[in-house]
RNA sequence: AGGCGGGUAGCUCAGUUGGGAGAGCAUCGGCCUUACAAGCCGAGGGUCGCAGGUUCAAGCCCUGUUCCGCCUACCA
C-alpha cells in the first residue's frame, strides 16, 4: 500500500464493480423489509451543483446504511423534463442558427428537444455516479417517458372529472420572455426602487380632478373605473360621476369600494381589471369591463393610443413626460415595492388576463395537511411543519397550463363544431356532445411540477398495480431542500393522498443550503461557486462526501470551504494509514479460533470493543434521525482519537511482541475492529472503505453487502471503560508534565506512582508497559502513602498520584508556576461547590443525588488541593 | 405587514428532559517515536448578542430589545 491514499482510479474501479455485480438493484418482491427513496429528479438540463451533491450524498448515506442493515433498498433515480428550462436551451441553439421554434414548427421542435435530451440528458446522471450514488439505474425514469406520461393523463382526466380542474379567464402571471403563464409560486418577488406617480384624472362634467396614485401608469389605458372608499370624506357625492383617462380622454366611472385604503396614496385607486389581480376582483364585483392594453410581448397594443407599439417601460417613460407637459402629473415620489420576476429568466412578470387551466387546490391540500398533522408523514427538522401548514392552509388555486411546447400536452380536445371541451385519456374519435369529428387538441402543456407531483408513484408503475407499488409505496424518506417544499413536496403530498389514498413518504428530511465560506449564497454572478466535480477531482469523492456529512447540522446552512475539505481529506488518509498499519502487521491471518489458538482480551481490547458497540449504536441512531453531522462526528472521534491514538498504539505491544498466542489474538481483534470501522464508515465514504475492505484477509464480497455493526456484535465491558480511563489519565498526566516542563520526548523519565487502593494498584500493575511506551517512562515503582520523592514533579489521577523524578532536569520556578495555576483552578471549583452546599435552598430543593454528587466532588477536590499545596510547599522549602 | 431561523473560543459550529461550557480548524510550544509531518505530544483562548424575569440552580425556560439571514403577502 502507498503511504497516501489516491482516490482517482479507485473510485472508478469500485463503482464499475458495484454496478456490474448488481449491488444497487432492488427486488420488486422480497421477504426483507423495504426501504425506498425517490430521488428529487434533477433537470435534464442540469449540471451537478453543491445542492445536488449534498442532497444526494445524504440519500446515499441513508440507502447504503439501510442496505447493510438488511433492507430491500430501492433508490429510485430519474430526471425531470424541466419544461421551460429545456425549451430555453434548445431555443437558444436555434437562435444561434438564426432561426426559431415557430419557423421550425411544433412537431419538429419537439423532435429536436428529444434529440438534445438523448445527447446531453445523461450528463447529470454520470455526475451522480461520480458522487458514488447507489441508485438502481436499471429503473431510471424520465418524466416524459411513456409510462409517466400515461400517469399524467390519468391524473388530469380524473381530476377534471372530479371537478378539481377547471378552465377560465383569470389574471395570471405572464412571463413576456418565456411566453407562458406561470403559477404564483414561480414568481420571485424582488424589491425595486420605483416611483409612486400621482396623476390627475379630470372630471367629465365638472371642474377639478381626482388624483390617483399608481406605480404602473402605463396600464391606465386599461382603466375602467377609479375607486374610492365610501367612508372617505374627501370623496363624498361622487356617485355617478365620471373621470377622463389622461391622453385618450376616455370616461370611466368613479365607484365606491371599501377595499380602497384611505391612508394609502391619495385614497383614489385606478382600476385595471385586465392587468392587476386586485383590480380584477373589484372589477368582478362592479361588473367592469376588462380591457387589455399590453400584449404577450409586453408591448402596448392599439388601445394605448399614441403609445401603441412601445414596450411597457418605454411607454411608462414617455407617458410620464407627456403628463408632465400637460400638467396632469401632480407629483412622483420614490417608492420601494416588491415586483414579480420570472423564476427561470428573471424577466419582470406582467399580470395579465388570460384563459388558463387551474387546479382547485383547497380540498387536496386539506388531506395533505392532515396527514402531517396526524404524524403519518414526519418532517425533519420539524419546524418546517409550521411552514408547510402555513402554506397549505392558505393555498390558492394552481395555474397548471403553460404556453410552451416541451411538456405533457393537456389531454383536452376542443370541438370545432360545437365548442365542447373533451377531456380524455386518449384522443376521442368524436365529440362527446355533438358527435362531430372536428376535434383539435389543446396546445398548452402542463406545468412541469404537475408531473413531478406524481413522481413517488408514477415511477413505481402507477396507474398499473405493480409489485413495485405494493412493495415500496409509501416510500420511506424524501430528502430535499426547503426551496422546493411547496413546489414539490406539498404537491406530492396532495397527489399521493388523493390518488394512492396514502402518504407518499413517511419522513421528509429538509436540508439546508450550501453556501460559500463567508456564508454567501453561491451564484454564477458572484463568482463564488464551488464546482463539486472539481472538488471530487482534486480531493476525491470520499473527502468531499464526508465534509458534507460532517457539516450538515440540522437547520443550519453549510458554509463550505476548501479548508474544511482538506481537513476531512486528512481524515480519509488517516483511515488509509491505520489500515496500512494493520495490514502490515496481520499478514494473512484468518481467525484464531479456526486455527485452534486461544483468544485473549487485553484491557485495550475490551475497551475498544465496548466503545465500538456504543459507537455503532450511536451512528445508526444518528442516521435514522437524519443527524448526519452527529453520525460523522462519532466516527471521526472514535476512529482517530480512540482507535488510532490509543488502541493501535497499545496493541503494538502484542503485535510487536514475542508471544505468538497473544500476537495472533491481537491480530484478530485489530482486524475485527478495523472491519467494523470500515463498515461504519462505508455509507459516508464508500470508495476508500471498499478499497481497504478488498485488501483485508478473508474478504470474499463487497463491503456494500456486509452487515452494519450493531451494539450486540461486541462485548459490553463497563469495567474496561473505567480501567482504561485510569491508564489514560496517568499517561496524560505524565505527558502533561513533560510538555509543560519542556522535557524532550526522547528523554525517558523514571516515575513513582503513589496509589490509593489495591484495586487501582492492580490495574496499573497490569498495564505498566503501556505507561512506559505511551508516556516515555523508564522505571516505575509503585508505593502507597510514601512521601514525595526529591526533585520530583507530580500529577494526580483519580485518587492516585504520579511523581516524575526529574533531578537536574527541571526548572523549580516553572514548576511552582504550574502548581499555583492548578491550585487556583481547583480552588475556584471548590468555591462554587461550597457556595451551593451553603445554600439552604439548594440542599432542600435539589434532588438528593445531585447534592450528593456535589458533596463527593468537594471531597475529592479538597484531597487534590491538599496534595497540590503539599507539593508547592515542598518546592518552596527546597528553593529556600 | 406577518412568520421562521440564528447570534456560544480567532473561524465554523455541537450543547439531547435546566445540575460546574465542548469539538474541529486556526494559533502557540515541543517532536522526523519503525501506519500516517495529510503525522505525534502538549498549551493558550469564552460576561454563551443585550436587559429583565422564573428557579436552590439558566447557554438551555419566559418577557422585552437589538443585529443578521430567509420565507410568505394583493396595499395601488
Amino acid at each position: 500500500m502507498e503511504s497516501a491514499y489516491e482516490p482517482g482510479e479507485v473510485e472508478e474501479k469500485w463503482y464499475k464493480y458495484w454496478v456490474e455485480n448488481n449491488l444497487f438493484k432492488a427486488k420488486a418482491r422480497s421477504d426483507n423489509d423495504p426501504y425506498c427513496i425517490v430521488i428529487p429528479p434533477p433537470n435534464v438540463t442540469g449540471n451537478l451543483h453543491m445542492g445536488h451533491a449534498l442532497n444526494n450524498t445524504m440519500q446515499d448515506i441513508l440507502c447504503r446504511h439501510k442496505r447493510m442493515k438488511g433492507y430491500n433498498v430501492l433508490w429510485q433515480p430519474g430526471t425531470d423534463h424541466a419544461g421551460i428550462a429545456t425549451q430555453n436551451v434548445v431555443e437558444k441553439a436555434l437562435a444561434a442558427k438564426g432561426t426559431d421554434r415557430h419557423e421550425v414548427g411544433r412537431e419538429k421542435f419537439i423532435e429536436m428537444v428529444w434529440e438534445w435530451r438523448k445527447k446531453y440528458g445523461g450528463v447529470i446522471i454520470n455526475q451522480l455516479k461520480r458522487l458514488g450514488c447507489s441508485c438502481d439505474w436499471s429503473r431510471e425514469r424520465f418524466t416524459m417517458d411513456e409510462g409517466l406520461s400515461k400517469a399524467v393523463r390519468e391524473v388530469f382526466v380524473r381530476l377534471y372529472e372530479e371537478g378539481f380542474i377547471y378552465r377560465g379567464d383569470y389574471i395570471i402571471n405572464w412571463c413576456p420572455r418565456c411566453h407562458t403563464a406561470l403559477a404564483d409560486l414561480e414568481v420571485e418577488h424582488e424589491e425595486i426602487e420605483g416611483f409612486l406617480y400621482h396623476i390627475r384624472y379630470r372630471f367629465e362634467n365638472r371642474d377639478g380632478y381626482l388624483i390617483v396614485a399608481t406605480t404602473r401608469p402605463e396600464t391606465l389605458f386599461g382603466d375602467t373605473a377609479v375607486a374610492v372608499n365610501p367612508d372617505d370624506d374627501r370623496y363624498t357625492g361622487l356617485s355617478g360621476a365620471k373621470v377622463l383617462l389622461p391622453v385618450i380622454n376616455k370616461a370611466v366611472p368613479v365607484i365606491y369600494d371599501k377595499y380602497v385604503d384611505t391612508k394609502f396614496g391619495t385614497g383614489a385607486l385606478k382600476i385595471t381589471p385586465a392587468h392587476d389581480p386586485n383590480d380584477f376582483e373589484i372589477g368582478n364585483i362592479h361588473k367592469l369591463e376588462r380591457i387589455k392594453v399590453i400584449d404577450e410581448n409586453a408591448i402596448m397594443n392599439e388601445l394605448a393610443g399614441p403609445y401603441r407599439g412601445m414596450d411597457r417601460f418605454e411607454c411608462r417613460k414617455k407617458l410620464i413626460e407627456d403628463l408632465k407637459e400637460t400638467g396632469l402629473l401632480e407629483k412622483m415620489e420614490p417608492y420601494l415595492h416588491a415586483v414579480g420576476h420570472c423564476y427561470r429568466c428573471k424577466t419582470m412578470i406582467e399580470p395579465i388576463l388570460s384563459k388558463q387551466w387551474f387546479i382547485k387546490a383547497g380540498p387536496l391540500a386539506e388531506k395533505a395537511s392532515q396527514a402531517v398533522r396526524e404524524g403519518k408523514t414526519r418532517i425533519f427538522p420539524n419546524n418546517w411543519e409550521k411552514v408547510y401548514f402555513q402554506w397549505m392552509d392558505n393555498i390558492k388555486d394552481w395555474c397548471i397550463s403553460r404556453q410552451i411546447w416541451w411538456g405533457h400536452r393537456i389531454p383536452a380536445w376542443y370541438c370545432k363544431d360545437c365548442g365542447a371541451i373533451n377531456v380524455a385519456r386518449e384522443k376521442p374519435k368524436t365529440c362527446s356532445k355533438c358527435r362531430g369529428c372536428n376535434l383539435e387538441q389543446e396546445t398548452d402543456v402542463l406545468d412541469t411540477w404537475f408531473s413531478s407531483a406524481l413522481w413517488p408513484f408514477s415511477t413505481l408503475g402507477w396507474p398499473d398495480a405493480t409489485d413495485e407499488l405494493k412493495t415500496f409505496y409509501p416510500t420511506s424518506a424524501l430528502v430535499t431542500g426547503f426551496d422546493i417544499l411547496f413546489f414539490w413536496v406539498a404537491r406530492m403530498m396532495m397527489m399521493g393522498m388523493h390518488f394512492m389514498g396514502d402518504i407518499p413518504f413517511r419522513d421528509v428530511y429538509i436540508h439546508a443550503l450550501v453556501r460559500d465560506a463567508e456564508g454567501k449564497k453561491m451564484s454564477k454572478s458572484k463568482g463564488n461557486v464551488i464546482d463539486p466535480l472539481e472538488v471530487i477531482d482534486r480531493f476525491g469523492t470520499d473527502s468531499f462526501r464526508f465534509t458534507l456529512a460532517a457539516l450538515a447540522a440540522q437547520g443550519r446552512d453549510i458554509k463550505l470551504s476548501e479548508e474544511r475539505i482538506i481537513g476531512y481529506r486528512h481524515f480519509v488518509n488517516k483511515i488509509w494509514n491505520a489500515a496500512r498499519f494493520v495490514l502490515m502487521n496481520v499478514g494473512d491471518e484468518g481467525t484464531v479460533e479456526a486455527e485452534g489458538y486461544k483468544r485473549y482480551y487485553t484491557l485495550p481490547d475490551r475497551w475498544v470493543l465496548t466503545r465500538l458497540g456504543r459507537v455503532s449504536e450511536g451512528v445508526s441512531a444518528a442516521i435514522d434521525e437524519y443527524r448526519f453531522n452527529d453520525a460523522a462526528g462519532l466516527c471521526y472521534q472514535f476512529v482517530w482519537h480512540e482507535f488510532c491514538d490509543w488502541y493501535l498504539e497499545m496493541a503494538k505491544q502484542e503485535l510487536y511482541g514475542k508471544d505468538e498466542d497473544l500476537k495472533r489474538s491481537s491480530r484478530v481483534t485489530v482486524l475485527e475492529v478495523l472491519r467494523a470501522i470500515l463498515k461504519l464508515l462505508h455509507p459516508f465514504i464508500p470508495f476508500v472503505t471498499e478499497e481497504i475492505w478488498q485488501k483485508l484477509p478473508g474478504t470474499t464480497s463487497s463491503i456494500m453487502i456486509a452487515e452494519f455493526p450493531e451494539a450486540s456484535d461486541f462485548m459490553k465491558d463497563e469495567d474496561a471503560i473505567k480501567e482504561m480511563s485510569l491508564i489514560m489519565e496517568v499517561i496524560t498526566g505524565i505527558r502533561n508534565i513533560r510538555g509543560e516542563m519542556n522535557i524532550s520526548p526522547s528523554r525517558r523519565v523514571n516515575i513513582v506512582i503513589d496509589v490509593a487502593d489495591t484495586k487501582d494498584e492492580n490495574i496499573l500493575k497490569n498495564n505498566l508497559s503501556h505507561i512506559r511506551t505511551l508516556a516515555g517512562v523508564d522505571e516505575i515503582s509503585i508505593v502507597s502513602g510514601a512521601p514525595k520523592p526529591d526533585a520530583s514533579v507530580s500529577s494526580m489521577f483519580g485518587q492516585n498520584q504520579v511523581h516524575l523524578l526529574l533531578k537536574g532536569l527541571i526548572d523549580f520556578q516553572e514548576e511552582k508556576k504550574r502548581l499555583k495555576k492548578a491550585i487556583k483552578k481547583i480552588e475556584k471549583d471548590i468555591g462554587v461547590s461550597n457556595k451551593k452546599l451553603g445554600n439552604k435552598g439548594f440542599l432542600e430543593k435539589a434532588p438528593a443525588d445531585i447534592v450528593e454528587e456535589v458533596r463527593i466532588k468537594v471531597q475529592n477536590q479538597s484531597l487534590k488541593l491538599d496534595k497540590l499545596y503539599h507539593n508547592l510547599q515542598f518546592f518552596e522549602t527546597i528553593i529556600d
Side-chain angles (χ1 to χ4, degrees), chain A residues 165-181:
Chain A
I165 287 182
Y166 61 92
R167 181 172 184 251
D169 286 300
Y170 294 91
I171 291 276
I172 46 86
N173 308 291
W174 182 265
C175 175
R177 205 222 58 88
C178 298
H179 268 256
T180 181

Side-chain angles (χ1 to χ4, degrees), chain A residues 804-870:
Chain A
L804 274 70
L805 308 178
L806 298 175
K807 203 162 194 174
L809 270 178
I810 52 157
D811 179 339
F812 289 146
Q813 292 302 339
E814 272 303 307
E815 174 58 5
K816 272 169 71 179
K817 250 178 30 202
R818 194 183 70 92
L819 285 171
K820 279 180 182 162
K821 202 170 88 183
I823 286 169
K824 207 171 147 193
K825 184 167 187 277
I826 214 164
E827 278 183 336
K828 195 180 148 205
D829 282 0
I830 292 173
V832 175
S833 296
N834 276 335
K835 202 174 152 197
K836 278 190 176 179
L837 292 172
N839 184 338
K840 234 184 192 173
F842 177 71
L843 295 176
E844 281 165 11
K845 294 186 184 174
D849 53 325
I850 298 280
V851 177
E852 188 55 24
E853 207 173 274
V854 175
R855 279 214 174 95
I856 292 171
K857 197 167 201 176
V858 170
Q859 271 174 27
N860 292 341
Q861 301 271 58
S862 304
L863 251 140
K864 278 194 180 184
L865 187 64
D866 284 349
K867 285 178 183 167
L868 284 172
Y869 266 121
H870 183 82

Side-chain angles (χ1 to χ4, degrees), chain A residues 443-498:
Chain A
T443 53
D444 288 357
V445 300
L446 287 164
D447 182 357
T448 306
W449 294 104
F450 188 95
S451 54
S452 27
L454 319 180
W455 191 249
F457 50 92
S458 64
T459 52
L460 297 177
W462 192 89
D464 298 335
T466 58
D467 285 339
E468 282 81 357
L469 272 176
K470 217 179 290 171
T471 303
F472 294 112
Y473 195 95
T475 66
S476 314
L478 182 83
V479 179
T480 188
F482 59 81
D483 49 332
I484 53 174
L485 180 62
F486 306 142
F487 275 112
W488 194 46
V489 181
R491 287 162 177 173
M492 283 190 287
M493 287 293 293
M494 294 194 267
M495 294 300 196
M497 291 304 292
H498 191 72

Side-chain angles (χ1 to χ4, degrees), chain A residues 31 47 60 76 116 173 222 297 300 349 423 468 500 584 669 685 779 783 820 839 843:
Chain A
D31 291 333
N47 258 293
D60 199 44
Q76 172 65 51
W116 182 92
N173 308 291
N297 294 312
M300 306 308 295
I349 289 300
V423 169
E468 282 81 357
M500 299 298 295
M584 285 166 95
T669 307
I685 47 174
E779 284 172 26
V783 298
K820 279 180 182 162
N839 184 338
L843 295 176

Side-chain angles (χ1 to χ4, degrees), chain A residues 96-304:
Chain A
K97 282 191 240 161
T99 175
D100 62 45
R101 69 178 158 119
H102 300 285
E103 221 167 292
V104 169
R106 183 162 186 153
E107 220 167 288
K108 179 82 179 119
F109 179 77
I110 287 174
E111 236 171 74
M112 291 171 79
V113 181
W114 275 107
E115 270 165 41
W116 182 92
R117 188 250 171 183
K118 212 187 272 171
K119 212 164 161 190
Y120 304 104
V123 168
I124 193 154
I125 295 297
N126 289 322
Q127 291 171 334
L128 287 172
K129 291 177 180 173
R130 288 213 57 199
L131 239 201
C133 294
S134 59
C135 303
D136 185 347
W137 298 112
S138 67
R139 297 170 181 277
E140 188 183 334
R141 294 289 185 274
F142 180 51
T143 46
M144 290 284 282
D145 279 351
E146 180 42 41
L148 275 68
S149 301
K150 187 176 153 194
V152 165
R153 289 195 301 272
E154 180 69 25
V155 164
F156 187 93
V157 171
R158 274 168 52 179
L159 287 177
Y160 182 78
E161 286 169 353
E162 291 162 352
F164 286 106
I165 287 182
Y166 61 92
R167 181 172 184 251
D169 286 300
Y170 294 91
I171 291 276
I172 46 86
N173 308 291
W174 182 265
C175 175
R177 205 222 58 88
C178 298
H179 268 256
T180 181
L182 296 173
D184 295 340
L185 261 184
E186 292 168 310
V187 176
E188 286 175 355
H189 292 274
E190 200 189 321
E191 295 259 286
I192 297 259
E193 279 181 42
F195 290 95
L196 192 58
Y197 303 94
H198 293 241
I199 301 171
R200 295 172 181 160
Y201 284 27
R202 278 198 248 287
F203 285 111
E204 187 188 29
N205 291 319
R206 65 168 102 172
D207 288 340
Y209 42 78
L210 270 182
I211 301 171
V212 302
T214 179
T215 54
R216 302 210 53 200
E218 68 277 12
T219 63
L220 70 80
F221 307 110
D223 288 0
T224 47
V226 170
V228 294
N229 193 303
D231 301 330
D232 195 330
D233 296 339
R234 293 171 292 181
Y235 304 118
T236 49
L238 291 177
S239 214
K242 286 191 171 182
V243 290
L244 297 171
L245 299 181
V247 185
I248 55 172
N249 289 319
K250 182 184 163 190
V252 299
V254 176
I255 59 172
Y256 285 102
D257 196 300
K258 291 245 186 204
Y259 168 81
V260 181
D261 181 354
T262 55
K263 289 187 226 49
F264 189 89
T266 59
L269 172 64
K270 69 194 248 343
I271 304 296
T272 324
H275 289 288
D276 183 281
N278 300 312
D279 295 4
F280 178 79
E281 295 295 329
I282 294 172
N284 281 351
I285 295 167
H286 297 271
K287 304 211 163 41
L288 299 175
E289 205 185 339
R290 303 159 177 175
I291 301 174
K292 274 166 84 166
V293 294
I294 302 173
D295 75 7
E296 280 147 15
N297 294 312
I299 304 290
M300 306 308 295
N301 68 15
E302 67 283 355
L303 296 173

